[in-house]
Amino acid sequence: MLPYKNLIIIDKKDSLPVYRQISLQLISLIQEGKLPPGAVLPSTRTLAFDLQLHRKTIVAAYETLVSENWIDNLPRKSYTVSPDLPMFRPRSYNSKRVSPFAETATFDFDHFELVMPLSRSLNNNRLEINDGFPDISLLPVQAISRQFKKTLESSATSKRSGVNLDGGSSNFKTSLRSFLNQTRGIDMGEENLFTTRGAQMAIYIAASLIIKPGDKVVVSEPTYFIAEALFEKLGAELIRVPMDSDGMCTEKLEDILKKNVIKMLYIIPHHHHPTTVTMSVERRNHLMKLITAYNFAVIEDDYDYDFQFKYDPYLPLASGDHGGRIIYIGSLTKVLGSPFRLGYIIATADFLQAAARLRTLIDLRGDFIMEETISGMIANGDLARHIQKTNKLYSQRCDFLSDLVSSEMGDMIDFTKPTGGMALWLRVKPQYDLSKIIKKADLKGLTIKGSTYCIGKDAHFNAFRFGFASLNEQELTEAVHIIKTVTQNL
Amino acid sequence: MLPYKNLIIIDKKDSLPVYRQISLQLISLIQEGKLPPGAVLPSTRTLAFDLQLHRKTIVAAYETLVSENWIDNLPRKSYTVSPDLPMFRPRSYNSKRVSPFAETATFDFDHFELVMPLSRSLNNNRLEINDGFPDISLLPVQAISRQFKKTLESSATSKRSGVNLDGGSSNFKTSLRSFLNQTRGIDMGEENLFTTRGAQMAIYIAASLIIKPGDKVVVSEPTYFIAEALFEKLGAELIRVPMDSDGMCTEKLEDILKKNVIKMLYIIPHHHHPTTVTMSVERRNHLMKLITAYNFAVIEDDYDYDFQFKYDPYLPLASGDHGGRIIYIGSLTKVLGSPFRLGYIIATADFLQAAARLRTLIDLRGDFIMEETISGMIANGDLARHIQKTNKLYSQRCDFLSDLVSSEMGDMIDFTKPTGGMALWLRVKPQYDLSKIIKKADLKGLTIKGSTYCIGKDAHFNAFRFGFASLNEQELTEAVHIIKTVTQNL
């Protein structure tokens, strides 16, 4: 309830009767938006007590407002602000307001732009192609909810949880370290692991510690657009190295390293975003030599490692010998779905101490309850089972979609079937304008939301990511049908 | 499981027998830490299949390792790496390693320091005085868990949740707006509300958009140390304005404004952190005039608004007329407890558009599941009931602790009882060195973890925050007893 005692000031010496002073001040509150349409007024008894007035005075004030249509008094209901007032004038934050007290000058702030190639639908389409997100309808809802409740109960009992400023649950760190050791072969102690809200925060923190304005940073061409936008925001001068079917061209990287002092490389060796290419062994070995020879920092973004359809994954670059130069970043978001945001950084202990300090400024500490919940799921095997189960299904969906695109749209679209991950990278042939396809598909009920590279400097790619993991075969068929139809009728 | 197929390379032309090639490569994996002590090796059948060798060759390799004590083979168990190996050599991230391939040079990064006045206990004490956190043992665990499960189930069904990049659940925004309107009288539309992980992220985003290196920023003296550290990290030149029992001295602020171009003011008008002082009406009115006259940005940090023990709260500064210059920041963390991190910014729409862009780089999007869960609790009244219930209890605990400190330690400690919030600001008399009290109390089983202002530039305060909300009367009594005893015997 609003503090009416402070909001309504009665001046008994005023010539206006008290009930009218009250009703006028209530009108101001309504006009200012402090009492929005539908808001419930305090009972006459309560307000009378607060203002130390007779209840009849309040009734008189309210009844005046009822007669003026400011408020309603439905039988056996409280007094409420009328839902259909002719005017409603928000004040504090409305820059377009017209009022005698109008103040248009405000302070300066950074209006920086962020080019987001994700297309947004104006329609609320039933069917949506995302960037490569897991199918959250497969989530073990019972298991997660049970674990959540258990965590909450034990936190409530112990009274201790989350009060530490050291950035995360230690149970989660222990179980995550063991999970990462078993799956990725990265030799590390707990001092080498730092948990974050998601991979994006991990990249933000790592890049913020490394990049100073004017530093040269190498990225692939194309690369994950949000990481690229971040590096530019931090003042980096970006140097782009092309991709081919073996991953980033390390020969071209070497040429660049010979001529430039490079501060950092950002690389996604597994199922590269957006192209889905996995780096070959030869390129990996070449890159490892370059890292040591030229001494630069590397952010290895391995967001998709857990989804490899065949049993021949490569280990992360970070599992090799790199003298602590590789900062390895991963996420459980791709395992559990976008509602769950849990990421991590693996790096040297001194780097992570600086990361923890910066994280305190950004976000104090992590999501203790969620970290503990997921920790329980790692410990009891639920997480590994979920990965195994979904990996199998995603592999089938990948096969299904690849076959479908080849047979239905082979003459319009080029792609290479990935060995894992959750998306195909579809390169539409140059004679078909992808941005037009996206617009027309939207009108036919399909939103293509997956990262699209068909505008601005990325126009020549004319390509998009088709996330297959979250759609069943019927949905995949329908989506391909719509894309085919609109492409044929451009 | 590790990708043994890629990790173990057999050279049939090699003079070493194949089983020995395998065992030597497994030893390398163990030495490198990729197979840590206790790790389970693949079954002989699996490894034979992966390497396309006869199973007997694998058995021979494993038995060699058993005889050399690298691995164990307990009856009816799998082969596991021996738990007590004489040496275990982490490689990638161990800067202290000694190996023929040692690489000590790493890249440059920002090792920035952060002075954290929070004392950390070396002991695992039973009793802990925090900064002013709610008592999470009062959380409606059943209601939250039920709502969490419901949210997860409906997300899993709709498949749509959290895929938007616009930073939050729209249900949460709607219900939070209505909650804030009813309690704070801030007139705003949904375009004026932006949700974050917690108040800290809200401050980080707002300050990052406003402060450029060299800008002058006014804070109170003392002020919330993490905000201060953030502004300094962003390159601000801090100007400190003293506090008295009416809040920040706006007369002194006016003097500063006359002589300096001030970019931003950071202020906590309700239950100021750390001093718990609430700003007087006169100072508020004076400040509002200064904001318009001198046109600077204001971050109003109102972390503690929901806890006011008497029914005479002041409305936030942001509810007044300020031409959009006040950025209002709040949090549900103080309502629900530190494991739940949900904060928000109220500002003009254009400021929040920039905030959304920056947030994308920092953290992509919010915690959809938690936002939806809390949204449900706002809608069904659980949140309001929880606030009402806890507010009453905290008020009692505040009375109890205030009486106790006055009667037991009135000669050693000065304080003013606050009108709300969750902490007392205890100013220890100068003859008693607070940093010594903290160390001695720690040895007696009491960790004083609440923000302490007794080192460095804050030494003259010799004061700390005693969070009373999370301790019951017995715990409060015990804590005061320990502090009194150690102070008497310094």
Side-chain angles (χ1 to χ4, degrees):
Chain A
M1 201 168 71
L2 289 175
Y4 292 96
K5 192 172 158 185
N6 287 345
L7 289 173
I8 299 180
I9 310 295
I10 304 301
D11 181 356
K12 297 215 170 165
K13 293 183 200 131
D14 197 314
S15 59
L16 266 185
V18 170
Y19 85 92
R20 194 58 191 154
Q21 292 185 37
I22 296 172
S23 63
L24 285 176
Q25 291 183 65
L26 285 170
I27 289 173
S28 294
L29 292 174
I30 293 169
Q31 286 182 320
E32 288 165 6
K34 288 198 173 67
L35 281 171
V40 178
L41 293 176
S43 72
T44 50
R45 199 176 302 272
T46 306
L47 193 59
F49 177 81
D50 286 341
L51 301 180
Q52 295 290 303
L53 295 169
H54 197 280
R55 200 180 142 216
K56 279 190 181 164
T57 314
I58 311 296
V59 171
Y62 280 8
E63 286 304 321
T64 314
L65 292 174
V66 170
S67 68
E68 293 172 357
N69 291 322
W70 287 101
I71 67 175
D72 297 330
N73 183 25
L74 303 177
R76 272 179 300 174
K77 293 258 181 182
S78 352
Y79 289 90
T80 52
V81 178
S82 172
D84 37 31
L85 286 174
M87 54 163 298
F88 171 51
R89 191 182 58 186
R91 195 181 57 167
S92 318
Y93 291 104
N94 187 351
S95 52
K96 293 197 200 82
R97 73 222 154 118
V98 182
S99 104
F101 312 105
E103 271 290 340
T104 48
T106 55
F107 61 94
D108 254 0
F109 63 88
D110 185 357
H111 292 75
F112 85 96
E113 285 303 315
L114 182 61
V115 179
M116 300 284 276
L118 282 184
S119 63
R120 286 168 194 248
S121 174
L122 295 174
N123 306 312
N124 192 8
N125 284 330
R126 198 175 42 77
L127 203 56
E128 195 174 282
I129 300 177
N130 64 37
D131 199 52
F133 285 112
D135 187 342
I136 56 175
S137 72
L138 304 171
L139 272 183
V141 171
Q142 302 297 328
I144 298 175
S145 302
R146 206 164 43 233
Q147 199 67 45
F148 176 85
K149 191 174 169 195
K150 207 170 135 188
T151 303
L152 207 56
E153 273 165 352
S154 89
S155 302
T157 313
S158 81
K159 283 188 172 189
R160 286 296 176 91
S161 62
V163 186
N164 288 314
L165 281 172
D166 54 5
S169 136
S170 64
N171 285 335
F172 180 56
K173 227 169 159 175
T174 306
S175 52
L176 182 61
R177 182 191 162 212
S178 123
F179 173 77
L180 295 176
N181 240 316
Q182 281 161 33
T183 52
R184 284 153 173 84
I186 300 178
D187 39 4
M188 57 169 174
E190 288 198 12
E191 73 281 8
N192 300 122
L193 178 62
F194 183 74
T195 59
T196 61
R197 294 288 188 168
Q200 185 63 36
M201 187 182 278
I203 299 173
Y204 182 86
I205 290 175
S208 298
L209 292 175
I210 296 169
I211 298 174
K212 298 275 162 292
D215 279 347
K216 290 180 181 172
V217 168
V218 172
V219 297
S220 62
E221 163 78 350
T223 192
Y224 178 47
F225 67 95
I226 298 182
E228 191 175 63
L230 167 63
F231 306 148
E232 285 187 329
K233 172 86 178 116
L234 292 172
E237 180 190 322
L238 293 189
I239 301 180
R240 296 184 170 83
V241 175
M243 296 283 299
D244 64 19
S245 57
D246 287 325
M248 182 184 275
C249 300
T250 49
E251 306 75 24
K252 298 205 170 136
L253 173 63
E254 188 165 13
D255 289 345
I256 290 165
L257 288 165
K258 281 176 185 161
K259 291 174 208 149
N260 297 273
V261 176
I262 297 299
K263 185 66 175 287
M264 190 187 99
L265 164 70
Y266 172 72
I267 193 162
I268 312 170
H270 273 103
H271 320 141
H272 173 263
H273 194 293
T275 69
T276 78
V277 171
T278 291
M279 201 176 200
S280 68
V281 176
E282 293 71 27
R283 288 268 173 81
R284 282 164 191 265
N285 291 340
H286 187 204
L287 177 59
M288 292 305 280
K289 283 188 192 113
L290 295 177
I291 292 170
T292 308
Y294 290 92
N295 192 35
F296 51 92
V298 178
I299 291 186
E300 179 179 18
D301 183 352
D302 206 7
Y303 72 109
D304 230 355
Y305 183 86
D306 295 296
F307 293 93
Q308 320 226 19
F309 301 147
K310 297 201 181 64
Y311 174 55
D312 57 352
Y314 298 105
L315 288 182
L317 299 174
S319 72
D321 201 358
H322 49 76
R325 291 181 191 86
I326 297 181
I327 292 136
Y328 181 82
I329 282 169
S331 166
L332 292 179
T333 300
K334 288 283 172 176
V335 172
L336 289 165
S338 50
F340 295 89
R341 304 214 16 88
L342 284 172
Y344 50 85
I345 312 180
I346 296 173
T348 56
D350 58 340
F351 188 80
L352 294 185
Q353 279 152 19
R357 289 189 280 265
L358 182 55
R359 197 279 182 54
T360 300
L361 300 184
I362 297 173
D363 187 32
L364 279 190
R365 60 184 159 263
D367 186 341
F368 183 83
I369 300 285
M370 198 49 69
E371 290 193 357
E372 286 277 312
T373 302
I374 304 305
S375 171
M377 291 184 64
I378 294 177
N380 68 20
D382 278 341
L383 191 81
R385 276 189 294 277
H386 181 64
I387 293 177
Q388 206 172 14
K389 175 179 153 188
T390 51
N391 201 23
K392 200 171 151 191
L393 183 68
Y394 299 161
S395 171
Q396 289 162 5
R397 288 178 177 175
C398 180
D399 289 345
F400 184 84
L401 179 64
S402 299
D403 290 349
L404 198 65
V405 173
S406 298
S407 64
E408 294 290 312
M409 306 191 67
D411 52 337
M412 306 168 191
I413 285 178
D414 288 321
F415 75 101
T416 305
K417 189 172 159 181
T419 57
M422 302 190 193
L424 300 188
W425 169 244
L426 300 184
R427 302 186 306 279
V428 181
K429 292 197 175 169
Q431 61 267 41
Y432 308 103
D433 181 341
L434 176 57
S435 55
K436 282 188 192 153
I437 295 174
I438 291 170
K439 275 184 207 116
K440 292 208 167 182
D442 190 34
L443 297 173
K444 296 248 178 204
L446 172 72
T447 307
I448 298 178
K449 220 177 178 179
S451 306
T452 56
Y453 291 75
C454 60
I455 54 164
K457 74 171 173 52
D458 293 324
H460 67 283
F461 290 113
N462 207 39
F464 71 105
R465 281 172 65 90
F466 190 135
F468 52 74
S470 58
L471 299 174
N472 62 33
E473 297 191 354
Q474 193 195 324
E475 291 165 326
L476 291 171
T477 306
E478 203 182 332
V480 169
H481 176 75
I482 293 175
I483 297 173
K484 183 183 176 181
T485 309
V486 302
T487 308
Q488 281 171 337
N489 299 300
L490 269 189
Chain B
M1 201 167 72
L2 287 176
Y4 293 96
K5 194 172 156 184
N6 287 344
L7 288 174
I8 299 181
I9 310 295
I10 304 301
D11 182 353
K12 296 215 168 165
K13 292 185 200 131
D14 196 314
S15 58
L16 265 184
V18 170
Y19 85 91
R20 195 58 191 153
Q21 292 185 37
I22 296 172
S23 63
L24 285 176
Q25 291 183 64
L26 286 170
I27 289 172
S28 295
L29 292 174
I30 293 169
Q31 286 183 322
E32 289 165 6
K34 289 199 173 65
L35 281 171
V40 177
L41 294 175
S43 73
T44 52
R45 199 177 301 273
T46 305
L47 192 58
F49 176 82
D50 285 342
L51 302 179
Q52 294 290 303
L53 294 169
H54 196 280
R55 199 181 143 216
K56 279 189 180 162
T57 312
I58 312 297
V59 171
Y62 280 10
E63 286 304 321
T64 313
L65 293 174
V66 170
S67 69
E68 292 172 357
N69 291 325
W70 288 101
I71 67 176
D72 296 331
N73 183 24
L74 303 177
R76 272 180 299 175
K77 292 260 183 181
S78 351
Y79 289 91
T80 52
V81 177
S82 173
D84 37 30
L85 287 174
M87 53 164 296
F88 171 51
R89 190 180 60 185
R91 196 179 57 165
S92 319
Y93 291 104
N94 187 350
S95 51
K96 293 199 199 80
R97 72 223 155 114
V98 181
S99 104
F101 312 105
E103 271 291 337
T104 48
T106 54
F107 61 94
D108 255 0
F109 64 87
D110 185 358
H111 293 74
F112 85 96
E113 287 303 314
L114 182 60
V115 179
M116 300 284 276
L118 282 183
S119 63
R120 285 169 195 247
S121 172
L122 294 174
N123 306 312
N124 192 7
N125 284 330
R126 200 174 40 77
L127 203 56
E128 195 174 281
I129 298 177
N130 64 38
D131 199 51
F133 286 112
D135 188 340
I136 57 174
S137 71
L138 305 171
L139 271 183
V141 170
Q142 303 295 328
I144 298 176
S145 302
R146 209 165 40 233
Q147 200 64 46
F148 176 84
K149 192 175 168 193
K150 207 170 136 189
T151 303
L152 206 55
E153 272 164 355
S154 91
S155 302
T157 313
S158 80
K159 282 188 171 190
R160 286 298 175 89
S161 61
V163 186
N164 288 314
L165 282 171
D166 55 4
S169 137
S170 64
N171 285 334
F172 179 56
K173 228 169 157 174
T174 307
S175 52
L176 182 62
R177 182 191 164 212
S178 124
F179 172 78
L180 296 175
N181 240 317
Q182 282 162 34
T183 52
R184 284 154 175 83
I186 300 178
D187 40 4
M188 59 169 172
E190 289 199 9
E191 73 281 9
N192 300 122
L193 178 62
F194 183 75
T195 59
T196 61
R197 294 290 189 168
Q200 185 62 37
M201 188 182 278
I203 300 173
Y204 182 86
I205 291 175
S208 298
L209 291 175
I210 297 169
I211 298 174
K212 297 278 162 289
D215 279 348
K216 290 178 182 172
V217 169
V218 172
V219 297
S220 62
E221 163 78 351
T223 191
Y224 177 47
F225 65 96
I226 298 183
E228 190 175 63
L230 167 63
F231 305 149
E232 286 188 328
K233 171 86 177 119
L234 292 172
E237 181 192 322
L238 294 189
I239 301 180
R240 296 185 170 81
V241 175
M243 296 282 300
D244 64 19
S245 56
D246 286 325
M248 182 185 274
C249 300
T250 49
E251 307 75 23
K252 298 208 170 132
L253 173 62
E254 188 166 13
D255 289 346
I256 290 165
L257 288 165
K258 281 176 186 161
K259 291 176 207 147
N260 297 274
V261 177
I262 297 299
K263 186 65 177 288
M264 191 187 100
L265 164 70
Y266 172 73
I267 193 160
I268 311 170
H270 272 103
H271 320 141
H272 174 263
H273 193 292
T275 68
T276 77
V277 171
T278 292
M279 200 175 199
S280 68
V281 178
E282 294 70 27
R283 288 268 174 82
R284 281 164 193 264
N285 292 340
H286 187 206
L287 178 59
M288 291 305 279
K289 283 187 193 115
L290 295 176
I291 292 171
T292 308
Y294 290 92
N295 190 36
F296 51 91
V298 178
I299 291 185
E300 180 180 16
D301 184 351
D302 206 7
Y303 72 108
D304 231 354
Y305 183 86
D306 296 296
F307 294 92
Q308 319 226 22
F309 301 147
K310 297 201 182 63
Y311 175 56
D312 57 351
Y314 299 106
L315 286 182
L317 300 174
S319 71
D321 203 357
H322 49 77
R325 291 182 192 84
I326 298 183
I327 292 137
Y328 180 82
I329 282 170
S331 166
L332 292 179
T333 301
K334 289 283 171 177
V335 173
L336 290 165
S338 50
F340 294 90
R341 305 218 12 91
L342 285 172
Y344 50 85
I345 311 179
I346 296 173
T348 57
D350 58 340
F351 188 79
L352 294 185
Q353 279 153 19
R357 287 190 281 267
L358 181 56
R359 197 269 180 62
T360 301
L361 300 184
I362 296 173
D363 188 30
L364 279 190
R365 58 183 160 264
D367 187 339
F368 183 84
I369 299 284
M370 198 49 69
E371 290 192 357
E372 286 278 312
T373 301
I374 305 305
S375 170
M377 291 182 64
I378 294 176
N380 68 22
D382 278 341
L383 192 81
R385 275 189 293 277
H386 181 64
I387 292 175
Q388 205 172 15
K389 175 179 154 190
T390 52
N391 201 22
K392 198 171 153 193
L393 184 67
Y394 298 161
S395 170
Q396 288 163 6
R397 288 178 177 174
C398 181
D399 288 346
F400 184 84
L401 180 64
S402 299
D403 291 349
L404 198 64
V405 173
S406 299
S407 63
E408 295 289 312
M409 305 190 67
D411 51 337
M412 305 169 192
I413 285 179
D414 287 322
F415 75 101
T416 305
K417 189 172 160 182
T419 57
M422 304 190 191
L424 300 189
W425 170 243
L426 299 185
R427 301 186 305 279
V428 181
K429 294 198 174 169
Q431 60 267 41
Y432 307 104
D433 180 342
L434 175 57
S435 55
K436 280 188 194 153
I437 296 175
I438 291 171
K439 276 186 206 111
K440 291 207 169 183
D442 190 34
L443 296 173
K444 296 246 178 206
L446 171 72
T447 307
I448 298 179
K449 219 177 177 178
S451 306
T452 56
Y453 291 75
C454 58
I455 54 164
K457 73 170 174 53
D458 293 324
H460 66 283
F461 290 113
N462 207 39
F464 70 106
R465 280 172 65 89
F466 191 135
F468 53 74
S470 57
L471 299 174
N472 61 34
E473 297 191 353
Q474 192 195 324
E475 291 164 326
L476 292 171
T477 307
E478 204 182 331
V480 169
H481 176 74
I482 293 174
I483 296 173
K484 182 181 176 182
T485 309
V486 301
T487 307
Q488 282 170 335
N489 301 297
L490 269 190

